[in-house]
């Protein structure tokens, strides 16, 4: 997909909101992944990982944003929603995106260890599942990767457990 400068800038603006959410996760000691659900240029949900805080293995930024968007729209079908995520979704989140019939997914960094939207597997675009989700990866990827790398470096430096380190080189 070829994007013009105005469309790239449009997506980068929402990705910056997702990066701010990821920074909040970082500050709370959560893996810094942020997500923003947008419906017709209106932000419905901004979330970040909360697995440690809740504790809930399904409390990924994507899942939380999809849940809030569905509640706000009073509809589980999110065909007119774009989800911005700082890291390529995992298998669980990609499955939730399929189930929600999400219109568009825009993500930052690719995840070569657990990414399920092109890196390790591609749940969303596999012909086995009927789906019309448009996918755009790599938007502000360097900033997303840097945040994750810094987080895991800080954890190692502090001697904290590095569970679920998914980025290349981790």
């Amino acid at each position: 997909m070829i994007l013009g400068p105005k469309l790239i800038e449009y997506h980068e603006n929402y990705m910056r909101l997702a990066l701010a959410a990821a920074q909040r996760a970082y500050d709370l000691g959560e893996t810094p992944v942020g997500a923003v659900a947008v419906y017709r240029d209106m932000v419905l949900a901004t979330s970040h990982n909360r697995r440690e805080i809740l504790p809930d293995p399904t409390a990924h930024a994507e899942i939380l944003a999809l849940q809030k968007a569905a509640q706000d729209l009073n509809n589980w079908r999110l065909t007119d929603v774009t989800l911005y995520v700082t890291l390529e979704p995992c298998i669980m989140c990609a499955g939730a995106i399929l189930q929600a019939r999400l219109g568009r997914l825009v993500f930052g960094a690719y995840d070569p260890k657990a990414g399920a939207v092109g890196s390790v597997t591609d749940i969303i675009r596999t012909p086995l599942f009927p789906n019309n989700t448009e996918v755009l990866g790599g938007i502000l990827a360097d900033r997303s990767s840097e945040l994750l790398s810094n987080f895991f470096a800080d954890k190692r430096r502090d001697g904290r457990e590095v569970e679920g380190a998914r980025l290349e080189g981790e």
Side-chain angles (χ1 to χ4, degrees):
M1 174 188 317
I2 298 173
L3 300 176
K6 288 216 182 272
L7 192 53
I8 290 171
E9 183 180 335
Y10 175 86
H11 290 309
E12 285 178 347
N13 286 333
Y14 286 115
M15 188 60 75
R16 284 185 190 91
L17 295 177
L19 282 162
Q23 182 64 55
R24 286 192 294 279
Y26 188 119
D27 295 343
L28 294 169
E30 292 277 358
T31 302
V33 177
V36 175
V38 177
Y39 173 74
R40 298 181 182 169
D41 290 328
M42 180 176 64
V43 174
L44 293 178
T46 301
S47 64
H48 57 76
N49 278 0
R50 293 175 185 247
R51 291 188 317 165
E52 302 296 332
I53 292 168
L54 289 180
D56 179 350
T58 67
H60 288 205
E62 301 95 292
I63 300 292
L64 298 171
L66 291 173
Q67 289 172 340
K68 175 82 168 68
Q71 289 170 356
D72 285 358
L73 295 174
N74 196 32
N75 192 342
W76 63 268
R77 291 175 192 86
L78 302 178
T79 55
D80 292 329
V81 173
T82 298
L83 184 66
Y84 293 86
V85 176
T86 58
L87 181 64
E88 177 184 0
C90 68
I91 290 174
M92 175 181 69
C93 294
I97 287 165
L98 277 177
Q99 291 299 316
R101 312 291 196 270
L102 188 72
R104 180 183 299 121
L105 168 68
V106 179
F107 66 88
Y110 285 86
D111 185 348
K113 290 191 176 187
V117 188
S119 290
V120 175
T121 188
D122 196 339
I123 300 297
I124 291 181
R125 292 176 285 209
T126 184
L128 299 174
F129 303 116
N131 164 28
N132 294 316
T133 302
E134 180 184 331
V135 176
L136 176 61
I139 300 295
L140 299 180
D142 291 344
R143 291 175 69 183
S144 298
S145 293
E146 181 181 10
L147 190 60
L148 284 157
S149 294
N150 290 344
F151 176 77
F152 289 115
D154 286 350
K155 285 188 88 157
R156 281 191 297 274
R157 194 171 24 260
D158 293 347
R160 293 180 277 165
E161 184 177 336
V162 181
E163 188 173 332
R166 303 184 330 189
L167 223 104
E168 187 172 8
E170 299 298 320

